[in-house]
Amino acid sequence: MNTTGLYYEDVVLDEDRKSATRPVTPADIRAFCELTEDFHPLHTDAAYAQSRGFPGLIAHGLYGLALMEGLKTSLKLYENTSIASLGWDQVRFILPLLAGDVVHVVFRVTGKRLSSRAGRGVLTEDVRLVNQRGEIVIQAQHAALVLTRGPAGSD
């Protein structure tokens, strides 16, 4: 089976997929601060973060969520078949994402249905950001809109 450019019909339910790893650096956290204008001291001052019970700088939860999408996209599963992200649900920041963590994404498609618009299908994905200790840092549900092979699509 083709593992890049998957169409709706190609997607197998409940099959785990895993991304490559990526380190989270203080520079990454700083860049996200600058991009979003969120300079809370948890993200900029290690001593402050430690005073709040963390071992050091923590990344923004939304940085982790964005990284989840990027790591999932790096697999190129829907490289030419993705239409849009329909949104994220049930987002849970389970553990802090720390500077120095090395993370990857594990996800599986847990549901799929044809869209009301011909030629499109909706996938429901369970997505987890996992650190180097095998701990789930962030977990969420994602809905993605992808192309079907034909105008009507089929299950």
Side-chain angles (χ1 to χ4, degrees), residues 54-135:
F54 299 102
L57 289 180
I58 63 170
H60 307 70
L62 293 177
Y63 168 79
L65 189 62
L67 185 56
M68 290 168 71
E69 179 65 21
L71 288 170
K72 188 171 67 78
T73 300
S74 72
L75 293 169
K76 300 184 183 229
L77 296 174
Y78 315 117
E79 184 74 5
N80 298 305
T81 59
S82 176
I83 299 170
S85 170
L86 299 176
W88 292 84
D89 295 303
Q90 300 175 22
V91 176
R92 296 292 173 261
F93 303 124
I94 298 168
L95 292 173
L97 179 57
L98 304 169
D101 276 349
V102 178
V103 295
H104 66 275
V105 158
V106 176
F107 84 99
R108 72 176 60 171
V109 177
T110 57
K112 63 187 219 177
R113 66 174 175 78
L114 291 172
S115 171
S116 58
R117 220 167 141 187
R120 299 168 179 218
V122 177
L123 306 177
T124 303
E125 304 165 333
D126 176 62
V127 188
R128 301 174 303 274
L129 187 68
V130 180
N131 67 20
Q132 69 277 6
R133 291 177 296 283
E135 301 165 325

